[in-house]
Amino acid sequence: MMHRFWAILFSLVPILGIGLYVLAAVGKGSFGGFSLSGLWLPENGNPYAVTIDHLFDLVHIICGVVLGITTSVLAYVVWRYADHPGRNNEAAQYVKHNTLLEWIWTAIPAAILIFLGFYQLQVWADNKMNRPTEMVDGHKQAIEPMALVVGKQFGWEVYYPGTDGRLGTSDDQRIENELTVPVGKPVVLRVEAQDVLHSFSIPGLRVKQDVVPGMTQLVWFQVDKPGTYEILCMELCGWGHYKMRARMKAVSTTSEATTGTEQVASPPSLSQEGGEN
Amino acid sequence: MIGIQFLISSLIWFLIGGLMAAAMRWQLAWPWSDMPILGSWLFEGEGGQISPEYYTMLVTMHGSVMVFFVVIPILAGAFGNYLIPLMIGADDMAFPKLNMLSYWFMWPAFVCMMLSFAAPGFGPAAGWTSYPPLAVLEEAAPGSGLAQTLWLGGLTCVGISSMMGSINYITTIVQMRAPGMTFFRLPMTIWAMLITAILQAFALPVLTAAVLMQIADRLLGTCFFIPEGLMVADALPKSGGGQALLWQHLFWFYSHPAVYIMLLPAMGMASDILSSMSRKPLFGYRPMVYSMLSIAGLGFIVWGHHMFVSGMQPLVGAAFMLTTILIALPSGIKTFNWLATLWGGRLQLTTGMLFCLGFIAMFVIGGLSGVLMAVAAVTIFLHDTYYIVAHFHYVLFGGTSLIVIGSIYHWYPKMFGRMMSETLGKFHFFTTFVLINCVFFPMHFLGAQGLPRRYADFTHTDSFVHLQPINEFITYSAFALVGVQVVFILNFFGSMLFGRRAGNNPWRANTLEWVAPSPPPHGNFLAPLEVHRGPYEYSVPGRAQDYWMQTDSELSNG
């Protein structure tokens, strides 16, 4: 009865596949000594990106249903139609096509996919195209970047505008690997690279933007709770890629945002440790 | 035969690439610990540890070897070369000398890649995608010197080899079909090879041009990909005027169609094995062909989904997102048709068939995670995390490689005239199938945490320390996965000597290669052939036998 064994093996794909996902998503249980909590998306501190998490869950639910149907059919087919010594001599069905079936399994997935495509456009636009605005003198104006972050092998340089309130002037203040942003209001950053490609990424805020030498880009987000976040590099930038990171502090009063910064050359920060490896 | 030469050399590289992956897993599970056995020999200078430079090289070379030396040559080079003349009833390829040349052009590529290990800086280390400026500037990475130039040289030779191959495949399929073999009587494998060859022929020139531009940037001082004012490693600013994103566009214009070059032939071979081993006609032959054609067509306009967060204009990203999400459709149609082929059949669970069934399951997982990534907004989070690693390993390893192995079991009797051991084969399938999932399924959860690719050490980062037990589990599974392939190697070589002799048609299949003697002599067939029907006439009602070969001249339902 080997065919039963294979059918059971294939039935494990939907059972374990969906089962583990559900356990991970609700954050409970353990499997073979490994805890399944803390395996889903990390906590999201960015209200702009709540919709990203929503999409993540929605697509997983849709895909989970499709996975369940198709792989269960696969396991059933092996269970029911496998040839084995005890099987009757019923012949395989001589069926070559069915136009109605083809239409059904083309049209339904097409409708779902097209829906997903258009449904997510707004989320994409909110996070990548429509820079947050503020009211200035009674009319809306795109928020100017509060700091410039420059990626280089292997760390991040943060520049704040000095007393003149403008970036790119001689009174800019620089600090390495430490960014401080205010809590509860939109933050716009200018991101650049000095040598090779890097990627400015904060998983806890769902922010990611490759920084390209020769290009200037903007990222925006909002942090709702005070705390510390890790800024990681997510584009291969050389041997030290794995340790290229900075710390972002979200503080509750805006006045603190620029205090503590001076013309610091290089504080002994995270990216230096372990450099001998 | 040239197909067999391609097969053996690709399998050897498969092993090398697999060992590289094992070395990477060692480092990820137990960072900076002494590697057993090979460590003291390879890394004498570092006290037996993998250095971060070496890790980055491993990442680069594992990808390059698996894509350019294993998957592409084994599908087109090995199975394309072997199966095309046999399945269309031709005595040889249209251009035998060009065919030989396409194999021997792989050797300069092999030599270049081998030499690049020995070049200063441990070998090329800019990823298999070789993004400039990292790949172009020697100051940026220790491996971006001579090693990178050799890597680019090797890639050019692979390109020349593939181009010669694809011209040959197209010509052979169009010109040399046996009498009566119309296009809609071709087996799916041949359709897939034809479409793949066309994809190669149109996409490859772009990659070759891009590679030559990168070589020129490195050797001739041009600045196609180097922007103005770079400050690398505190050196003086470079002159420039180029655009780093240009490389990404050119590279992915080839490398996204290449994803389908690495998938379509596997889909074709799977269709043939599934139909013959279900003793049932392939369900929806024409929709299968049309869906492959639409994958090929759409495949040319989706490359931007590799660049959603690259700095490309977000509006362009939105357009690429819509085309990308549509390409899931034909892949879905193929899966449904395969399931319908199995439904109501009489499944012969041979090792080759089991690998095909495993392929369907793995391809469904890989395809569905692809839908998730096609949603650009979600990719903002998932880009360059282990979710991507899980996705393309499910498609390329769980998908294509399972079919490659299954096809070896299926066509081995034809290639070598003997059967492989089914007992060892089934053990090999069971362990491989389970372990693939142990290795790659947990990576989805690592990716959901935002764990970045290409990091040499995760214990270094506050956010990811708690994932280390999973990384260790993956590493144990990966070692076991590489280990069980010994069973396959023993079966492959042992069966050449001790396997049961296979007749012409051990699987009672319909297609033309099973008319030829096993192994086929020079000229393939003993007598001229004439084709009377399509390739999937299994279990035709009223016939005594459940198969009806394409060459069978009896017209009545005898």
Side-chain angles (χ1 to χ4, degrees):
Chain A
M1 288 319 224
M2 253 333 247
H3 71 286
R4 298 281 190 239
F5 172 76
W6 297 118
I8 291 167
L9 178 67
F10 289 122
S11 73
L12 290 179
V13 175
I15 293 171
L16 283 180
I18 297 173
L20 286 173
Y21 256 92
V22 171
L23 287 174
V26 300
K28 291 201 182 73
S30 66
F31 185 73
F34 301 114
S35 164
L36 280 173
S37 61
L39 290 185
W40 206 240
L41 295 171
E43 200 184 341
N44 187 352
N46 175 11
Y48 284 92
V50 171
T51 42
I52 291 182
D53 293 10
H54 163 68
L55 268 176
F56 188 82
D57 293 341
L58 174 73
V59 182
H60 268 110
I61 291 168
I62 295 174
C63 289
V65 171
V66 179
L67 175 77
I69 295 171
T70 45
T71 51
S72 302
V73 168
L74 183 73
Y76 171 75
V77 158
V78 176
W79 180 274
R80 165 70 181 79
Y81 293 109
D83 202 359
H84 56 92
R87 191 176 159 180
N88 59 13
N89 54 4
E90 137 201 55
Q93 300 161 13
Y94 184 72
V95 185
K96 293 173 122 175
H97 57 87
N98 182 324
T99 312
L100 180 66
L101 264 180
E102 298 284 352
W103 274 110
I104 290 173
W105 65 47
T106 307
I108 294 176
I112 295 173
L113 289 170
I114 291 169
F115 160 75
L116 272 181
F118 285 99
Y119 183 72
Q120 61 95 45
L121 277 179
Q122 189 60 45
V123 184
W124 174 250
D126 287 344
N127 284 280
K128 287 287 172 200
M129 293 163 80
N130 305 330
R131 197 192 330 172
T133 52
E134 60 188 350
M135 295 302 276
V136 178
D137 303 330
H139 48 87
K140 269 208 263 183
Q141 195 178 314
I143 297 176
E144 287 303 312
M146 62 158 283
L148 163 68
V149 182
V150 180
K152 61 168 193 183
Q153 290 178 328
F154 297 98
W156 300 95
E157 281 181 357
V158 180
Y159 295 86
Y160 295 102
T163 43
D164 64 354
R166 287 163 58 200
L167 281 167
T169 51
S170 55
D171 69 339
D172 284 359
Q173 289 183 307
R174 188 184 76 154
I175 183 166
E176 291 217 354
N177 295 320
E178 192 153 316
L179 172 67
T180 311
V181 298
V183 157
K185 59 186 241 180
V187 175
V188 179
L189 299 173
R190 204 169 108 196
V191 289
E192 289 175 7
Q194 167 189 313
D195 41 24
V196 298
L197 296 174
H198 302 279
S199 188
F200 178 89
S201 160
I202 310 172
L205 300 176
R206 316 290 184 261
V207 170
K208 188 174 293 152
Q209 180 59 57
D210 285 10
V211 287
V212 184
M215 285 172 76
T216 287
Q217 292 172 96
L218 300 175
V219 296
W220 54 86
F221 52 86
Q222 179 174 324
V223 193
D224 275 353
K225 271 192 294 186
T228 310
Y229 293 82
E230 272 185 321
I231 301 174
L232 303 173
C233 176
M234 287 260 209
E235 185 63 74
L236 181 64
C237 60
W239 67 269
H241 176 49
Y242 70 98
K243 62 191 180 99
M244 172 168 171
R245 65 192 196 284
R247 183 167 286 166
M248 189 184 82
K249 275 194 217 148
V251 293
S252 52
T253 52
T254 47
S255 61
E256 273 179 58
T258 48
T259 53
T261 59
E262 321 145 43
Q263 306 277 349
V264 194
S266 175
S269 59
L270 291 167
S271 78
Q272 256 76 39
E273 73 190 42
E276 267 61 62
N277 282 328
Chain B
M1 279 179 78
I2 297 179
I4 311 269
Q5 291 173 338
F6 263 114
L7 182 68
I8 304 281
S9 43
S10 307
L11 286 176
I12 291 170
W13 278 104
F14 202 171
L15 190 65
I16 297 174
L19 290 173
M20 288 176 176
M24 278 149 67
R25 286 310 320 176
W26 173 267
Q27 159 69 13
L28 290 177
W30 304 285
W32 323 122
S33 55
D34 291 359
M35 192 163 77
I37 311 163
L38 289 175
S40 52
W41 172 63
L42 277 174
F43 317 115
E44 228 178 322
E46 294 85 40
Q49 298 171 6
I50 293 182
S51 65
E53 292 90 336
Y54 198 86
Y55 180 83
T56 328
M57 183 283 284
L58 283 174
V59 170
T60 306
M61 291 305 276
H62 169 73
S64 316
V65 163
M66 288 305 198
V67 169
F68 295 114
F69 286 178
V70 180
V71 178
I72 293 179
I74 211 169
L75 288 173
F79 284 103
N81 247 311
Y82 192 81
L83 292 176
I84 288 173
L86 280 169
M87 282 183 145
I88 64 171
D91 55 356
D92 200 347
M93 298 293 281
F95 308 116
K97 284 212 178 98
L98 192 67
N99 205 19
M100 199 174 71
L101 211 54
S102 92
Y103 178 69
W104 289 108
F105 251 91
M106 287 304 282
W107 275 92
F110 294 160
V111 171
C112 279
M113 289 277 182
M114 289 302 239
L115 281 179
S116 75
F117 285 111
F122 296 112
W128 83 279
T129 52
S130 250
Y131 280 179
L134 184 65
V136 177
L137 300 172
E138 212 165 320
E139 302 89 333
S144 286
L146 179 63
Q148 180 69 19
T149 311
L150 284 168
W151 185 90
L152 290 163
L155 199 54
T156 314
C157 294
V158 175
I160 294 170
S161 160
S162 297
M163 189 50 117
M164 291 192 285
S166 58
I167 304 244
N168 207 353
Y169 303 150
I170 298 171
T171 316
T172 308
I173 295 170
V174 171
Q175 290 292 335
M176 304 203 27
R177 282 165 291 128
M181 180 62 99
T182 59
F183 271 96
F184 280 98
R185 281 179 180 171
L186 286 175
M188 289 309 285
T189 303
I190 302 302
W191 267 110
M193 293 291 176
L194 176 64
I195 293 168
T196 304
I198 294 170
L199 274 176
Q200 281 274 29
F202 281 83
L204 202 55
V206 178
L207 179 73
T208 311
V211 166
L212 291 178
M213 284 158 83
Q214 199 178 102
I215 293 178
D217 270 11
R218 306 172 49 80
L219 300 181
L220 306 178
T222 56
C223 289
F224 292 112
F225 306 122
I226 306 173
E228 191 67 41
L230 286 190
M231 303 222 307
V232 178
D234 298 324
L236 288 174
K238 300 273 167 196
S239 67
Q243 172 47 283
L245 280 189
L246 176 63
W247 166 267
Q248 298 186 29
H249 280 291
L250 296 175
F251 181 83
W252 288 114
F253 185 84
Y254 166 75
S255 292
H256 197 79
V259 170
Y260 300 105
I261 291 166
M262 295 186 265
L263 187 61
L264 289 178
M267 288 174 152
M269 296 191 293
S271 308
D272 280 339
I273 298 175
L274 285 169
S275 170
S276 65
M277 290 301 166
S278 311
R279 318 306 297 162
K280 200 167 161 281
L282 184 71
F283 196 87
Y285 179 95
R286 283 183 186 237
M288 287 291 234
V289 173
Y290 299 147
S291 61
M292 259 199 283
L293 286 169
S294 56
I295 289 176
L298 283 169
F300 274 109
I301 50 169
V302 297
W303 80 88
H305 68 223
H306 298 269
M307 302 169 60
F308 280 149
V309 298
S310 69
M312 182 176 68
Q313 227 286 338
L315 198 59
V316 183
F320 275 120
M321 183 277 302
L322 288 172
T323 54
T324 302
I325 213 157
L326 281 180
I327 208 167
L329 190 57
S331 309
I333 293 173
K334 295 194 79 72
T335 307
F336 299 137
N337 276 300
W338 286 324
L339 291 173
T341 304
L342 296 168
W343 191 279
R346 206 178 163 91
L347 313 191
Q348 314 292 308
L349 296 181
T350 60
T351 307
M353 177 68 159
L354 285 171
F355 271 98
C356 285
L357 297 170
F359 155 82
I360 296 179
M362 299 298 91
F363 179 67
V364 167
I365 296 180
L368 288 171
S369 61
V371 174
L372 185 73
M373 277 153 215
V375 176
V378 175
T379 296
I380 297 174
F381 178 69
L382 290 180
H383 182 76
D384 269 345
T385 65
Y386 266 71
Y387 216 102
I388 311 286
V389 179
H391 161 71
F392 65 72
H393 279 99
Y394 262 96
V395 176
L396 283 182
F397 196 172
T400 303
S401 300
L402 284 192
I403 287 297
V404 164
I405 298 170
S407 300
I408 291 173
Y409 281 102
H410 189 78
W411 276 289
Y412 187 93
K414 186 53 60 184
M415 290 177 178
F416 300 104
R418 289 174 187 270
M419 310 294 286
M420 287 177 90
S421 159
E422 282 287 304
T423 315
L424 288 181
K426 282 175 181 167
F427 174 76
H428 178 219
F429 168 73
F430 175 73
T431 47
T432 303
F433 184 74
V434 170
L435 288 168
I436 281 182
N437 285 292
C438 289
V439 173
F440 298 115
F441 200 79
M443 289 187 185
H444 290 117
F445 301 121
L446 300 181
Q449 283 286 297
L451 192 76
R453 295 165 74 170
R454 294 164 167 172
Y455 270 32
D457 178 6
F458 296 113
T459 57
H460 214 71
T461 318
D462 306 341
S463 323
F464 305 124
V465 183
H466 69 288
L467 298 173
Q468 207 54 22
I470 301 183
N471 271 320
E472 287 179 25
F473 173 76
I474 293 176
T475 298
Y476 284 122
S477 309
F479 287 171
L481 180 58
V482 176
V484 296
Q485 303 312 312
V486 172
V487 177
F488 176 64
I489 295 170
L490 287 178
N491 197 352
F492 188 88
F493 290 107
S495 300
M496 282 185 194
L497 299 174
F498 306 114
R500 197 159 43 80
R501 292 221 175 260
N504 286 2
N505 192 357
W507 310 122
R508 296 177 295 127
N510 285 349
T511 39
L512 297 187
E513 77 271 29
W514 304 108
V515 176
S518 312
H522 197 73
N524 286 345
F525 299 96
L526 300 177
L529 304 174
E530 201 174 335
V531 174
H532 298 282
R533 63 190 61 77
Y536 301 116
E537 296 298 310
Y538 290 102
S539 302
V540 178
R543 277 182 57 84
Q545 288 173 318
D546 64 353
Y547 66 112
W548 201 359
M549 297 196 74
Q550 288 188 275
T551 48
D552 235 341
S553 58
E554 49 175 330
L555 291 173
S556 65
N557 288 347

